[in-house]
Each structure stands twice: as structure tokens, then as C-alpha cells.
Amino acid sequence: MSMFCFQCQEAAKGSGCTVQGVCGKTPDVANLQDLLIEVVKGVSILADLGRKNDLVIAKADKYAFESLFATITNANFDKTKILAKIKEGFTSSTYSS
């Protein structure tokens, strides 16, 4: 599995890590974190559309905050937890009030 992680200031020589992160992050975790970011973007688009129609879904906001925090440097390299957040983004309970 290839890796390109550019999420932190620890990246060797100021560029993205391509084999394994200087921080110890593995390629599979970096890829799952990237996928989680994409899922958060989708949830956020739906939440924004809801807001424009006077529907605020606090669960979607909380999901976005928690998921973004899970991708910050050295916060969470647990594949199981990151995958659970990805799956959570696809459940209807994330969008219901």
C-alpha cells in the first residue's frame, strides 16, 4: 500500500511522508484518515444543505468535530476506531435529529 501523508509538521524535510510517517503512522492508517476526511466532507455538505432549509442536525456537527480530531497528528492511529468513524458517517443516525 502506498502512502502520502502531509498532515503534520513532522513530515521529513518539510514534504509528505511516503513510506511510513516520521510519527509512526502506517500507510493504511494514513489512507483511512484520508477517507474519513472525505466522508466528513459529504456529511458537512448535507448538514449545510439542512441549515439552508432551517434544519440543524447537531449529530452531524458533532460527528464532523470528532472525526476531524481523530485525524490530527499523533491523536489516533487506531485503524478500528477510524474505520468505525467512517462507517458512522454512512449511517442515517448521523443525519437524524
Side-chain angles (χ1 to χ4, degrees):
M1 183 177 297
S2 63
M3 174 178 188
F4 181 72
C5 181
F6 52 89
Q7 295 178 333
C8 70
Q9 74 283 355
E10 295 179 26
K13 299 180 184 176
S15 62
C17 294
T18 57
V19 177
Q20 180 162 343
V22 174
C23 62
K25 185 187 303 181
T26 59
D28 53 346
V29 169
N31 289 334
L32 284 173
Q33 287 180 335
D34 288 344
L35 177 57
L36 180 56
I37 293 293
E38 295 303 318
V39 173
V40 170
K41 287 179 184 178
V43 169
S44 297
I45 288 168
L46 292 174
D48 186 54
L49 183 61
R51 264 187 203 82
K52 289 177 181 173
N53 290 283
D54 299 320
L55 177 64
V56 176
I57 303 169
K59 287 180 184 178
D61 294 339
K62 184 177 185 222
Y63 170 79
F65 293 133
E66 289 175 350
S67 297
L68 290 173
F69 184 78
T71 67
I72 66 170
T73 304
N74 298 333
N76 185 1
F77 294 161
D78 185 332
K79 290 187 286 190
T80 304
K81 289 182 181 180
I82 295 169
L83 191 53
K85 291 306 282 184
I86 291 167
K87 289 178 181 179
E88 181 183 342
F90 286 101
T91 64
S92 61
S93 65
T94 303
Y95 317 111
S96 61
S97 42

